[in-house]
């Protein structure tokens, strides 16, 4: 059992390290990304590749990397992975591993770009490396966006199980890229409570000069929205008889 939690931790750490670094390269002063003028699409590709890498690393645990996906599997009434029942203790172990992995991965991204964090004058860009934020702050509709995007994530990922073995990480990465391009504009597509909350905590704790506030007033939306969407997606998939366990 500890190996399962370790795989989930390492997969989530890889996810956040690559994803946060992709954003840092695109927005922080003095990076090669800023120097060459890369735009929105490049961080989106980075997050897609981050999912691909994280899912590959976390294969032993089922590579959920996301409490919303764990919740969806529990709602389906299926094992988390072979031989791992969805008990309260196992679910808690998965979620804790995901949050710790997300914290460590985002902190490593900060270390890799520390000189650029120190030289960036805009606090919003520093926070944007760690956490999501809406383009238009409308809490209800921001919540709906996150729920819809996560619902899509869950339903499509559970359908991947009917495809040939070995392509799951690639499919998941391409799916997240599609969500980024299609549904990412309003809120920055957290679609994962661990992906947003743990790095937001890292932003609050790490000694980043001139970082500004961590926007805790918004922080509940990228947690609750994905959980709502994930739970609903799991419920829908529970009643699709052609989906494998």
């Amino acid at each position: 059992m500890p190996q399962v939690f370790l795989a989930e931790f390492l997969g989530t750490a890889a996810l956040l390290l690559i994803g946060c670094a992709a954003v840092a390269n695109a927005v922080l002063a003095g990076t090669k990304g800023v120097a060459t003028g890369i735009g929105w699409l490049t961080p989106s590709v980075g997050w897609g590749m981050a999912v691909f890498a994280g899912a590959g690393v976390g294969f032993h645990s089922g590579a959920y990397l996301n409490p919303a996906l764990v919740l969806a599997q529990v709602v389906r009434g299926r094992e988390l992975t072979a031989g791992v029942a969805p008990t309260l203790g196992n679910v808690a172990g998965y979620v804790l591993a995901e949050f710790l992995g997300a914290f460590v991965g985002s902190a490593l991204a900060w270390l890799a770009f520390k000189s650029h964090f120190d030289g960036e004058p805009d606090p919003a860009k520093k926070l944007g490396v760690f956490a999501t934020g809406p383009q238009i702050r409308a809490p209800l509709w921001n919540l709906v966006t996150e729920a819809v995007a996560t619902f899509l994530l869950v339903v499509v990922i559970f359908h991947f199980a009917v495809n040939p073995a070995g392509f799951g990480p690639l499919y998941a990465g391409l799916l997240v890229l599609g969500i980024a391009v299609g549904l990412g504009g309003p809120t920055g597509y957290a679609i994962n409570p661990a992906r947003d909350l743990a790095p937001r905590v890292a932003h609050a704790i790490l000694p980043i000069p001139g970082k500004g506030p961590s926007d805790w007033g918004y922080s509940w939306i990228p947690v609750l929205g994905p959980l709502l969407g994930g739970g609903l997606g799991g419920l829908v998939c529970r009643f699709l008889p052609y989906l494998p366990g």
Side-chain angles (χ1 to χ4, degrees):
M1 189 66 66
Q3 294 93 332
V4 170
F5 300 144
L6 178 60
E8 194 71 3
F9 166 80
L10 291 174
T12 311
L15 166 68
L16 268 293
L17 171 55
I18 297 173
C20 290
V23 179
N25 190 40
V27 302
L28 295 181
T31 65
K32 290 185 180 293
V34 170
T36 55
I38 64 176
W40 166 259
L41 185 58
T42 302
S44 299
V45 172
W47 276 110
M49 293 301 97
V51 171
F52 172 68
V57 170
F59 74 95
H60 185 65
S61 64
Y64 291 89
L65 318 181
N66 183 342
L69 276 169
V70 174
L71 173 62
Q73 187 73 335
V74 171
V75 171
R76 290 181 74 199
R78 310 293 176 87
E79 290 186 329
L80 295 172
T81 192
V84 180
T87 64
L88 180 59
N90 289 339
V91 170
Y94 267 76
V95 172
L96 179 60
E98 290 159 0
F99 273 92
L100 289 176
F103 182 92
V104 170
S106 59
L108 289 174
W110 166 69
L111 285 175
F113 283 85
K114 185 179 184 307
S115 297
H116 300 279
F117 274 102
D118 292 347
E120 173 56 58
D122 186 350
K125 291 181 179 179
K126 295 177 181 181
L127 177 59
V129 173
F130 292 90
T132 63
Q135 287 299 103
I136 298 174
R137 191 171 288 257
L140 174 60
W141 298 113
N142 300 151
L143 188 72
V144 168
T145 298
E146 286 292 332
V148 168
T150 311
F151 174 83
L152 176 65
L153 174 75
V154 165
V155 171
V156 176
I157 278 184
F158 285 156
H159 278 77
F160 287 162
V162 303
N163 286 290
F167 291 97
L170 177 60
Y171 291 150
L174 291 174
L175 171 60
V176 169
L177 175 58
I179 291 172
V181 174
L183 291 167
T187 62
Y189 65 103
I191 58 175
N192 181 341
R195 173 265 173 273
D196 191 276
L197 183 58
R200 198 180 294 269
V201 172
H203 175 269
I205 292 175
L206 293 172
I208 305 170
K211 62 183 176 181
S214 300
D215 194 12
W216 292 108
Y218 179 76
S219 64
W220 63 276
I221 291 174
V223 172
L224 181 58
L227 290 176
L228 291 172
L232 181 58
L235 183 63
V236 168
C237 290
R238 184 185 183 105
F239 296 102
L240 295 178
Y242 56 81
L243 288 182

